[in-house]
Amino acid sequence: MTARAPLVVVGDALLDEDVRGDVDRLAPDAPVPVVSGARSARRPGGAALAAWLAARDGREVTLVTALGADASSRAVRELLAGSVRLVELPLHGALPHKTRVLGADRPLLRLDEGEGRAREATEEARATVRAARGLLVADYGRGATEVLRAELERAAARVPLVWDPHPRGEAPVPGTRLVTPSAAEAAGFARRLAPGPAHRAASPGSGVLEQAARDAAVLLRAWGVASVAVTLGERGALLTHGETPLFVPAAVSAHGDACGAGDRFAATAAGLLADEALPEEAVRAAVAAATRYV
């Protein structure tokens, strides 16, 4: 079997934590659920999750991200140890730590702590991007992409680059091979880039594919990227290069916890493009991988 190409992930790491328990009553002093038997589990989040998932596919993965001396940064290092090589950027502030409280597997509350941002690029980080054979940008708006943007612009002309965008993050660099927004993200970006009635959200249950195609066309033109794959949750994804879009349906309908499915989609697509797969092949495999993940 052909060896899988190494992948460099650039972006903002987070620490994700889930607190799960049972809910069978409301509190007597307020109409809120009581979570009993709570169990806590931590996992890498943001770009760190994308890198961890790519490493689970059996490829060599390097993560370029900002980490500091805080407890959340230390936890992410421990979670990635032995599977992902780290190239660290200086972090100003504490690493973001997001805690979901779930009752009967349904999210009830999320607590966010830490507003840390990447402070500056390092020569090691620049050299890592320059040497990459395949790149995934997981941009959560915390500065890692911003400080390395010049290197990423040059890399996009040389190697396959997949950009997983975030409403708070940077626009993809021109020449990006594939951008992977969710339908809601694509609609939000399109409204900002080309405001008008054509980019209002589609009514529930109708016109979802048509809206995704219109939004993707706006993003292609405005960002100067090669292709856009709008992820559509349990439906699948819509891929467009600027002409007739290709709808890639999910083989089965998945109704589990979708948190992290976008990272699974982007990590799969980026790895396969680094392996020299066609975008259509990469998106089909990414839809299947995200469905299994959910």
Side-chain angles (χ1 to χ4, degrees):
M1 185 175 69
T2 304
R4 299 190 174 193
L7 185 68
V8 173
V9 179
V10 177
D12 308 294
L14 317 171
L15 176 63
D16 285 344
E17 183 170 3
D18 285 349
V19 179
R20 298 176 182 269
D22 302 318
V23 174
D24 54 19
R25 63 190 176 94
L26 296 178
D29 54 340
V32 295
V34 174
V35 179
S36 58
R39 306 169 300 280
S40 178
R42 288 181 167 185
R43 65 179 182 275
L49 176 59
W52 184 75
L53 291 169
R56 288 186 65 185
D57 291 338
R59 67 180 72 247
E60 177 188 328
V61 178
T62 300
L63 172 62
V64 181
T65 194
L67 294 171
D70 57 283
S72 296
S73 293
R74 292 194 297 272
V76 167
R77 290 189 187 96
E78 292 171 2
L79 289 165
L80 296 179
S83 59
V84 174
R85 172 178 172 255
L86 282 171
V87 174
E88 297 188 16
L89 303 170
L91 179 71
H92 178 69
L95 192 77
H97 177 190
K98 301 181 182 297
T99 303
R100 295 191 306 166
V101 180
L102 301 97
D105 290 328
R106 293 182 178 274
L108 304 175
L109 177 70
R110 197 179 90 178
L111 306 173
D112 287 7
E113 303 174 87
E115 292 293 334
R117 292 183 59 85
R119 193 166 59 210
E120 61 187 355
T122 65
E123 183 50 40
E124 182 184 13
R126 295 188 188 97
T128 299
V129 173
R130 287 196 297 268
R133 291 169 52 189
L135 278 159
L136 168 61
V137 172
D139 184 7
Y140 282 77
R142 302 286 182 172
T145 301
E146 182 179 350
V147 300
L148 286 166
R149 189 170 183 87
E151 289 296 345
L152 292 169
E153 287 178 351
R154 286 187 280 271
R158 182 178 52 83
V159 299
L161 190 156
V162 173
W163 195 291
D164 193 16
H166 188 281
R168 295 174 59 183
E170 297 275 300
V173 297
T176 292
R177 184 77 56 89
L178 179 67
V179 184
T180 61
S182 68
E185 290 167 343
F189 293 133
R191 283 194 294 271
R192 292 206 301 267
L193 293 165
H199 304 296
R200 287 197 295 264
S203 59
S206 65
V208 174
L209 294 180
E210 293 84 350
Q211 187 66 50
R214 287 195 293 268
D215 294 335
V218 171
L219 304 186
L220 277 171
R221 291 193 299 269
W223 287 340
V225 299
S227 58
V228 174
V230 179
T231 57
L232 303 168
E234 64 182 33
R235 291 171 178 257
L238 187 82
L239 172 66
T240 181
H241 305 289
E243 297 181 354
T244 303
L246 172 67
F247 174 52
V248 180
V252 297
S253 182
H255 298 285
D257 186 357
C259 183
D263 297 292
R264 174 69 279 183
F265 183 96
T268 300
L272 288 174
L273 288 178
D275 292 340
E276 300 184 349
L278 296 173
E280 291 82 356
E281 296 172 320
V283 169
R284 289 187 189 278
V287 167
T291 302
R292 289 193 301 270
Y293 180 86
V294 172

